[in-house]
Amino acid sequence: QVQLVESGGGLVQAGASLRLSCAASGRTFSIYAMGWFRQAPGKEREFVAAISSRGSRIYYSDSVKGRFTISRSNAENMVYLQMNSLEPEDTAVYYCAAGWQPLTDRTNVNSWGQGTQVTVSS
């Protein structure tokens, strides 16, 4: 397993951009698929984006496709989520996740970060 720490959340207005970062510890980072999930108040945690261990496969939920971009740096043990054109519906706690492909499925996650709050005002 790896330990994950997210950063970069905050309060922004609709239409703005944010970049979330996830720092991973451990020498085995490069073997894991990585991803982002989010959880809004009163809702289930849902898949947002995922990237394979070498970055060759990328997946997005339909709700963020075209607005969010996931990337990773295995040299730096980092995963990023660039979020553009943010909408109030994107308000949630965002969690970094590590696990096995396909990381679109929560059951394949074996490590979670503590989460970072993203709030988008209208």
Side-chain angles (χ1 to χ4, degrees):
Q1 290 188 344
V2 292
Q3 285 71 51
L4 305 172
V5 179
E6 304 96 333
S7 61
L11 170 63
V12 297
Q13 291 190 329
S17 298
L18 276 176
R19 188 193 196 203
L20 304 183
S21 299
C22 174
S25 63
R27 294 181 293 175
T28 58
F29 172 77
S30 63
I31 72 172
Y32 290 106
M34 299 295 298
W36 292 91
F37 289 72
R38 66 186 182 187
Q39 188 166 18
K43 294 189 176 181
E44 296 274 328
R45 191 171 298 188
E46 65 174 4
F47 166 74
V48 174
I51 186 167
S52 61
S53 58
R54 296 185 179 182
S56 58
R57 297 183 181 182
I58 291 177
Y59 310 87
Y60 296 103
S61 68
D62 288 342
S63 61
V64 307
K65 197 174 296 182
R67 299 187 298 122
F68 290 12
T69 303
I70 188 171
S71 61
R72 68 187 293 164
S73 168
N74 286 349
E76 298 176 329
N77 281 18
M78 296 291 295
V79 180
Y80 304 98
L81 186 68
Q82 178 66 42
M83 305 186 295
N84 298 330
S85 302
L86 282 161
E87 303 169 352
E89 294 73 23
D90 296 316
T91 295
V93 177
Y94 283 70
Y95 296 91
C96 183
W100 311 111
Q101 288 193 167
L103 208 62
T104 56
D105 185 343
R106 282 184 58 182
T107 61
N108 290 339
V109 175
N110 61 17
S111 296
W112 293 98
Q114 83 288 351
T116 185
Q117 177 71 46
V118 172
T119 303
V120 184
S121 63
S122 57

